[in-house]
Amino acid sequence: MKLEFVRKKLAENHADAYVILNHEGSGQPDTAYLSGFSGSESVIIVTATQQYILVDGRYFTRSKQEAPNFEMRAANRGRVYDDMAKYFPEMGIKSILIDPNATAYSSIKNFESKIPGLNIHTAPGMLFELRMIKSQEEINKLHASGDVACAAFNQLVTEIKPGMTERAIAARLEFLMKDMGADKYSFDTIVASGKMGAFPHYTPSSKEIATGELVTIDFGCYLDGYASDMTRTIAIGEISDKLRDIYETVKGSQQAGLDAANSSMTGIALDKVCRDYIEQRNYGEYFLHGTGHGLGLDVHELPYVNTNNNDLLPVNSVVSIEPGIYIEGIGGVRIEDCVVIKENGCINLNDKVTKELITV
Ligand SMILES: [Mn+2]
């Protein structure tokens, strides 16, 4: 099905081959999606009749195991354009289709200079719409990834004490996820305490957490190629009525989003449910970002739940629902789960951690 889609696009674009360069963190998700190969460097080449994977000696065995439907061709590390120049004639390739969103400008220039006469067509976000709709197998992997994140967090909160630094908490959570089976964390863990909670995206520091503060922890891991992403905000001892009111407002907004999510909603409509709840409680100006994003092989992918996406959220797409309130000088709260969109509702992939305020 995936290869058929690619071949249809080849025909539409009058190109001989679709090429994915997997290099320095770019192109890996598309490579894994089409072929199953999880290594860090490769070239995928799909023609009208055949599909190939070029890898160097580090990955001969792995590519045969993980991408058995792709014919393996040996590449020389660092000379991959020379390799393509050699292989393209025998593969009947005079023109290629490439995704400029996943390919560096310098790589396009290399194609032009090292393979003279090659015609280059571009298809921005070529696989994004296909990747947006998950198979049951993908959903199972996403749920397993979410389960590891939940289990790690539930262990973490039994260990958090006033005086621990944000960085120590982040490091401990990343260790726990890996120890519980994750391949790696899906992005640098955010631990934002006290007034720092007003920064939606924040880098943990050596600041010690203190009684009376809220601490926002945004984290996730990769398991079997698929990402998890969730956020909880916890209290350190007794907190002020103001902070509790902010917490309850975000919690209500997030629950309203979970209750409303289904495939009859557009991204705009679902965002509005969460945003209206916060606006009605007079915190509207402090909700500083969109409600959510897609999740899969990438931590951020289609579809988006924000004030721009006027498309319906498709059945079996996966999105985060993560409203927040951020008040400079006071602090902030964000609560996030990722869900699978269904016709009559949604399935929560982060259902194993409570959203009642956890106090340590
Ligand atoms: Mn997120």
Side-chain angles (χ1 to χ4, degrees):
M1 203 279 263
K2 296 171 187 173
L3 291 173
E4 277 168 34
F5 174 88
V6 170
R7 290 185 169 123
K8 202 176 105 224
K9 291 283 177 187
L10 282 179
E12 282 169 19
N13 287 278
H14 308 288
D16 297 324
Y18 179 56
V19 175
I20 306 171
L21 286 179
N22 165 21
H23 180 64
E24 297 292 339
S26 180
Q28 210 294 317
D30 282 345
T31 297
Y33 186 70
L34 268 197
S35 73
F37 180 64
S38 66
S40 64
E41 202 162 338
S42 63
V43 181
I44 292 287
I45 302 167
V46 180
T47 69
T49 56
Q50 185 55 281
Q51 57 275 353
Y52 307 90
I53 182 165
L54 270 55
V55 288
D56 64 65
R58 291 171 297 163
Y59 290 129
F60 287 166
T61 308
R62 184 147 149 194
S63 68
K64 277 185 234 166
Q65 280 176 358
E66 292 182 343
N69 299 326
F70 282 64
E71 191 177 316
M72 200 264 283
R73 292 292 174 93
N76 294 290
R77 196 173 177 195
R79 285 179 33 215
V80 74
Y81 296 94
D82 297 333
D83 294 324
M84 281 188 274
K86 183 179 85 182
Y87 288 130
F88 277 3
E90 66 170 90
M91 293 173 180
I93 297 168
K94 295 193 182 101
S95 60
I96 62 166
L97 184 63
I98 200 156
D99 184 347
N101 289 14
T103 313
Y105 182 68
S106 58
S107 300
I108 306 250
K109 285 287 162 197
N110 277 331
F111 274 110
E112 287 172 356
S113 65
K114 299 194 175 173
I115 314 180
L118 184 71
N119 270 311
I120 301 169
H121 306 270
T122 56
M126 162 106 166
L127 297 177
F128 289 179
E129 295 211 354
L130 200 60
R131 280 174 47 186
M132 174 165 69
I133 319 267
K134 271 67 182 180
S135 67
Q136 190 56 49
E137 190 190 350
E138 290 182 291
I139 290 168
N140 293 345
K141 287 179 179 179
L142 286 160
H143 211 153
S145 179
D147 283 348
V148 169
C150 284
F153 185 83
N154 284 331
Q155 173 61 32
L156 178 79
V157 293
T158 68
E159 301 177 9
I160 292 179
K161 295 195 169 48
M164 282 174 81
T165 67
E166 294 170 340
R167 209 180 275 133
I169 293 168
R172 180 63 184 157
L173 182 51
E174 288 166 1
F175 173 86
L176 284 168
M177 289 192 288
K178 216 163 181 180
D179 198 36
M180 291 180 176
D183 298 322
K184 56 183 178 183
Y185 45 89
S186 36
F187 51 88
D188 287 323
T189 301
I190 295 172
V191 178
S193 65
K195 290 176 185 172
M196 299 304 143
F199 294 76
H201 275 185
Y202 173 76
T203 305
S205 75
S206 53
K207 178 189 172 303
E208 294 177 359
I209 61 167
T211 301
E213 289 182 336
L214 289 173
V215 182
T216 298
I217 305 175
D218 187 347
F219 63 102
C221 61
Y222 269 102
L223 188 70
D224 233 343
Y226 284 81
S228 48
D229 181 11
M230 61 185 292
T231 307
R232 291 291 184 271
T233 301
I234 64 171
I236 312 302
E238 279 300 305
I239 55 166
S240 67
D241 290 348
K242 175 77 176 169
L243 290 179
R244 184 168 286 276
D245 187 51
I246 294 171
Y247 186 87
E248 291 304 325
T249 302
V250 173
K251 176 168 159 264
S253 165
Q254 206 258 353
Q255 188 60 50
L258 293 175
D259 292 343
N262 65 54
S263 61
S264 72
M265 305 285 282
T266 64
I268 290 175
L270 185 53
D271 178 87
K272 189 170 171 358
V273 169
C274 293
R275 203 165 294 283
D276 282 353
Y277 189 98
I278 288 174
E279 273 171 9
Q280 281 156 15
R281 285 151 187 84
N282 298 319
Y283 289 110
E285 65 184 292
Y286 304 111
F287 183 5
L288 300 176
H289 51 72
T291 291
H293 54 83
L295 178 90
L297 289 161
D298 275 315
V299 184
H300 296 114
E301 53 179 62
L302 295 179
Y304 283 88
V305 183
N306 58 23
T307 53
N308 299 318
N309 178 17
N310 205 18
D311 295 331
L312 291 172
L313 300 171
V315 172
N316 291 337
S317 64
V318 172
V319 296
S320 69
I321 299 179
E322 50 176 313
I325 293 175
Y326 312 91
I327 307 180
E328 207 177 326
I330 293 181
V333 172
R334 180 166 62 257
I335 301 173
E336 171 183 25
D337 292 316
C338 288
V339 301
V340 186
I341 299 292
K342 293 289 181 186
E343 222 163 281
N344 300 310
C346 68
I347 299 167
N348 194 333
L349 299 174
N350 307 118
D351 52 346
K352 295 180 180 71
V353 177
T354 183
K355 274 164 288 189
E356 296 305 317
L357 182 59
I358 296 172
T359 302
V360 299

